[in-house]
Amino acid sequence: MEKPRSIVILTGAGISAESGIDTFRDAGGLWEQHRVEDVATPEGFARDPELVLGFYDMRRAALANVRPNAAHEALARLDAEFSGELLIVTQNVDDLHERAGARRVLHMHGELKSALCSSCEMRSPWDAPMSADEAGARPPCPVCQAPSLRPDVVWFGEMPYQMERIYRAIRKADLFVSIGTSGAVYPAAGFVRDARDLGARALELNLERSEGSHWFHESRQGRAGELVPEWVE
Ligand code: BV8
């Protein structure tokens, strides 16, 4: 294939696995410790806010102990060197793409290091616990001071962020690359079909075949830390 002019890259938990961040569905993954219905839905948050806030506090705090891996670093090099259109759409809520130096990153499911206020609906950078302190007080929203912060992540049943911007990029893409995702959750899992229908070439780089592998022109199995630098070079 001649050099692509416009690339969309979709990443999932598998790209951060070698950095030591649990994936969702692999054995011992995040969901195994908590039922997804309990911690990644608005209903779960309404039912037990402290359980959900604690789940995200733990994951946010863990970011201090992990570093980007060779896959994040390869994508950051691509971002710096590729003169065409490039968008890294990540389902991940960690900050490893940015810490590797990537700039054209879109977090469609939000970010651990951001807080959303249920009162004023403003989002603020956040890197502290959100659950109540020993006096039972929740931290105030940096904008309106209300004690109504929630994790700025997209839960099941909630609309992912910047979908129009993502579909605009997919419409222009002549290459769609999916890295480290099980293809289990929509609308992200459907992007490969949209890209193919619009004429893009579709490549999957994943540890094992995923639910969507059959939609890709090419699917390579292996660790992202090896496959991504190989592909970027
Ligand atoms: C919406 C953020 C509508 C929070 C997440 C029935 C049919 C179709 C759809 C639905 C349905 N019922 C409900 C739905 C919709 C639902 C959905 O898709 N459900 C699924 C379960 C069927 N989707 C939604 O609700 C979405 N919203 O549809 O809104 C709407 C419309 C209008 C108005 C309002 C609303 C929102 C979904 C977002 C949920 N939030 N995360 C948080 O992080 O806590 S989802 C979460 O799981 C991730 O963000 C990601 O999106 C998803 C999948 O996880 P992966 O990243 O793929 O990780 P996983 O562990 O699954 O896989 C890891 C992969 O890596 C594996 O394949 C493994 O082999 C590989 N791997 C491991 N190690 C390595 C590796 N690869 C390479 N190298 C390695 N070393």
Side-chain angles (χ1 to χ4, degrees), residues 83-189:
S83 55
E85 306 251 356
L86 171 75
L87 184 60
I88 299 169
V89 179
T90 187
Q91 302 170 90
N92 300 338
V93 292
D94 66 52
D95 59 349
L96 294 181
H97 282 301
E98 291 83 353
R99 284 167 55 191
R103 291 186 327 290
R104 294 182 271 185
V105 179
L106 189 161
H107 284 268
M108 67 177 289
H109 289 162
E111 300 176 74
L112 286 170
K113 287 191 170 174
S114 176
L116 174 63
C117 178
S118 311
S119 298
C120 70
E121 300 198 340
M122 295 297 284
R123 297 161 67 186
S124 312
W126 190 265
D127 193 4
M130 244 180 237
S131 43
D133 60 17
E134 48 285 355
R138 294 264 295 278
C141 165
V143 178
C144 74
Q145 313 312 316
S148 339
L149 294 180
R150 60 160 274 185
D152 183 17
V153 297
V154 176
W155 285 325
F156 288 94
E158 295 185 325
M159 195 63 186
Y161 286 135
Q162 304 189 61
M163 289 302 292
E164 204 17 66
R165 185 175 159 214
I166 294 170
Y167 284 121
R168 257 200 319 278
I170 287 174
R171 283 195 289 272
K172 286 198 285 192
D174 47 17
L175 177 61
F176 178 82
V177 186
S178 177
I179 302 172
T181 180
S182 59
V185 171
Y186 289 81

Side-chain angles (χ1 to χ4, degrees), residues 10-19 21-26 29-31 36-37 39-41 55-56 59 69 71 90-94 108-112 151-160 179-189 204-211 220-228:
L10 174 68
T11 65
I15 199 170
S16 297
E18 289 157 82
S19 294
I21 295 186
D22 278 351
T23 65
F24 291 92
R25 287 165 182 77
D26 294 340
L30 283 170
W31 299 144
V36 66
E37 298 72 26
V39 290
T41 61
F55 175 64
Y56 285 95
R59 291 170 66 194
N69 63 56
T90 187
Q91 302 170 90
N92 300 338
V93 292
D94 66 52
M108 67 177 289
H109 289 162
E111 300 176 74
L112 286 170
D152 183 17
V153 297
V154 176
W155 285 325
F156 288 94
E158 295 185 325
M159 195 63 186
I179 302 172
T181 180
S182 59
V185 171
Y186 289 81
E204 179 184 51
L205 308 177
N206 202 57
L207 190 65
E208 66 220 351
R209 288 187 65 76
S210 71
E211 296 185 29
R220 297 178 196 165
Q221 275 71 52
R223 290 186 308 104
E226 278 162 32
L227 291 186
V228 179

